[in-house]
C-alpha cells in the first residue's frame, strides 16, 4: 500500500495527437481525483532538472528534446494506493510491452514517446508535484 497521491504529465506526443480528453477520462474513470492541474510547457532547464536521474543515460538528450517540444498537462492525482494503481493504469514504459487497455498501450507510440508520466514512488510523487505546483495550486 502506498500513499494517496501521485504526479502525472500528459506528454507532448499525446497532446499533439489530441488525446488529452481521452486520457483524463481514463484517469477519472479509474477513480483518481484531480487535486492540481495545469497546461504548460517545460523549458530545457525544467526538463533537465525533472529527469536529472537519467542524465547519464544515452537517451537523455532525446528525452529532454521531446519533453520540451510542445505543451503538456501536469496534474496531481489522489486515490488510495495512488502510485502503484496509477503505474498499473498507464502500463509498461515501452508500449509494446504494456498490458491491453493501459493508457500507454492505447496512446503511446514508442518507448520514448509514451504519452504519460507516472511517479514511481511516494517520495518522487511529492518531489515531482512540488516541482510543478505551488501550495495554493493544490486542492
Ligand atoms: P517510466 O518510469 O515508465 O516513465 O520510465 P523510466 O523512468 O525508465 O524513463 C523515463 C522516461 O524516459 C520514459 O517514460 C520515456 O519517455 C524515456 N525513455 C525511457 N527509456 C527510453 C529509451 O530507451 N529511449 C528513449 N528515447 N526514451 C526513453
Amino acid at each position: 500500500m502506498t500513499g494517496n497521491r501521485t504526479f502525472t504529465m500528459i506528454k507532448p506526443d499525446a497532446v499533439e495527437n489530441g488525446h488529452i480528453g481521452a486520457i483524463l477520462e481514463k484517469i477519472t474513470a479509474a477513480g483518481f481525483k484531480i487535486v492540481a492541474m495545469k497546461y504548460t510547457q517545460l523549458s530545457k532547464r525544467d526538463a533537465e532538472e525533472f529527469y536529472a536521474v537519467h542524465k547519464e543515460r544515452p537517451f537523455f538528450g532525446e528525452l529532454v528534446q521531446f519533453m520540451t517540444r510542445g505543451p503538456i498537462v501536469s496534474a496531481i492525482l489522489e486515490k488510495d494506493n495512488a502510485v502503484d494503481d496509477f503505474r498499473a493504469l498507464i502500463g509498461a514504459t515501452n508500449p509494446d510491452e504494456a498490458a491491453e487497455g493501459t493508457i500507454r498501450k492505447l496512446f503511446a507510440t514508442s518507448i520514448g514517446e509514451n504519452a504519460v508520466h507516472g511517479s514511481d514512488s511516494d517520495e518522487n510523487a511529492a518531489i515531482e508535484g512540488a516541482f510543478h505546483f505551488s501550495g495554493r495550486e493544490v486542492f
Side-chain angles (χ1 to χ4, degrees):
M1 188 73 167
T2 60
N4 70 342
R5 287 193 172 188
T6 192
F7 172 77
T8 187
M9 295 180 285
I10 300 176
K11 297 184 179 185
D13 60 323
V15 173
E16 288 160 10
N17 292 328
H19 297 316
I20 294 174
I23 291 173
L24 291 177
E25 172 59 25
K26 294 279 291 178
I27 291 171
T28 53
F32 291 88
K33 180 180 166 196
I34 296 166
V35 296
M37 186 162 71
K38 66 173 73 163
Y39 193 44
T40 186
Q41 184 164 3
L42 296 176
S43 67
K44 183 166 183 278
R45 194 169 153 186
D46 291 333
E48 286 172 349
E49 187 176 339
F50 187 88
Y51 285 111
V53 66
H54 294 305
K55 66 176 184 293
E56 305 303 336
R57 309 280 286 274
F59 58 81
F60 184 67
E62 204 176 310
L63 176 60
V64 170
Q65 170 70 27
F66 162 56
M67 286 303 297
T68 57
R69 81 172 182 219
I72 61 166
V73 175
S74 61
I76 298 175
L77 306 173
E78 189 172 272
K79 181 184 181 296
D80 287 348
N81 206 35
V83 165
D84 289 349
D85 285 4
F86 193 69
R87 298 279 294 187
L89 179 67
I90 67 177
T93 309
N94 185 345
D96 292 341
E97 292 161 13
E100 288 302 325
T102 59
I103 291 175
R104 282 170 166 167
K105 186 70 173 185
L106 290 166
F107 301 113
T109 48
S110 67
I111 189 168
E113 303 203 3
N114 60 3
V116 281
H117 169 81
S119 304
D120 63 4
S121 67
D122 286 351
E123 187 190 5
N124 283 337
I127 292 168
E128 292 168 1
F131 183 81
H132 282 257
F133 295 97
S134 68
R136 64 181 178 174
E137 294 175 307
V138 182
F139 298 92

